[in-house]
Amino acid sequence: EAGRRVLERGGNIVDAAVAVSFALGVVEPEASGIGGDGQAVLYLTGMAEPTVVEYKDQTPMRATLDNPKIFRNGRLVGDGAVAANIPGVVAGLEHLYKRYGSGRVTWAELIEPAIRYADDGFILDDSLPSSLAEGRQYLKKYSEAERVYLPGGRLPKAGDRFVNKDYAETLRVIARDGADAFYRGTLARRIAADMEANGGIITYEDLAQYHA
């Protein structure tokens, strides 16, 4: 629906894909989102051949084998702040928008549906509740994850309205200030501070050097 509305406004397929990606980050957070990464293969009218935009994640500079923080019981840590990589989605989507978008739809307009879904909520089917049930033990280890994804301490169920107002606020900053906010601005500083406070190893410098 987010993509269809963009096309109705005169946007092209790239604009629509950007809007859909941001919307999916809200409605299927177990599989999508601005903390992730990806690639886009484009073969648009007028191109002599296809091209690829890569916005894969990167390991932080301090994720070296001589850093004991990345190990737990002799194995690489698989969850928590220290396991996170530098995300690429926001940089990749902005690159696609600026380089291949139609120019007829604004960046903020592409993110608006995602903000609305996060702010007002959306009605769940079985997908997210089943994923949350499967990963409940990990969510309960981290107070913020538990607060967002197990609201009121209970597992959401199909038919519930799921709201994520914190995510809406983050998306508003990205809509207003672009990817720069996420990698070099206010959000980057908050991410880096949170990483330092919670044992993560992504630094402000890690974020600032990222590009699609």
Side-chain angles (χ1 to χ4, degrees):
E1 178 66 9
R4 184 184 67 78
R5 291 189 175 192
V6 166
L7 295 175
E8 285 184 346
R9 289 180 181 179
N12 66 6
I13 192 67
V14 174
D15 297 324
V18 171
V20 168
S21 183
F22 275 115
L24 287 176
V26 178
V27 302
E28 57 164 36
E30 73 275 34
S32 301
I34 58 174
D37 69 339
Q39 290 177 315
V41 182
L42 294 89
Y43 194 18
L44 305 175
T45 302
M47 283 184 174
E49 59 184 8
T51 189
V52 175
V53 176
E54 182 172 295
Y55 43 101
K56 298 296 290 179
D57 60 347
Q58 291 179 343
T59 52
M61 287 181 276
R62 291 192 290 172
T64 55
L65 293 177
D66 59 353
N67 184 349
K69 291 183 73 171
I70 71 170
F71 293 97
R72 185 183 300 147
N73 299 323
R75 302 184 67 174
L76 287 171
V77 173
D79 62 277
V82 75
N85 278 347
I86 306 160
V89 162
V90 179
L93 296 183
E94 187 183 75
H95 179 90
L96 287 163
Y97 168 74
K98 288 183 172 180
R99 184 83 179 267
Y100 301 104
S102 68
R104 292 188 291 271
V105 186
T106 68
W107 173 250
E109 285 174 324
L110 298 183
I111 304 176
E112 187 275 330
I115 294 172
R116 188 173 68 252
Y117 297 142
D119 222 4
D120 300 340
F122 61 96
I123 303 301
L124 292 170
D125 59 14
D126 289 323
S127 180
L128 182 58
S130 64
S131 294
L132 295 177
E134 187 177 332
R136 190 173 188 172
Q137 60 178 320
Y138 296 104
L139 297 171
K140 290 180 76 67
K141 287 172 65 175
Y142 306 102
S143 59
E144 286 299 294
E146 183 177 24
R147 180 181 65 80
V148 172
Y149 291 108
L150 301 173
R154 70 175 189 87
L155 193 66
K157 61 182 186 301
D160 287 353
R161 179 173 292 274
F162 186 80
V163 176
N164 193 343
K165 289 188 178 293
D166 287 346
Y167 199 71
E169 283 303 310
T170 297
L171 291 174
R172 283 192 182 94
V173 175
I174 294 169
R176 185 187 67 229
D177 299 333
D180 195 63
F182 191 86
Y183 294 97
R184 288 165 288 278
T186 54
L187 296 176
R189 287 190 284 274
R190 289 182 64 184
I191 291 167
D194 188 78
M195 283 282 164
E196 186 171 3
N198 290 286
I201 57 175
I202 292 176
T203 63
Y204 178 85
E205 288 72 25
D206 282 317
L207 293 161
Q209 60 80 45
Y210 188 89
H211 66 277

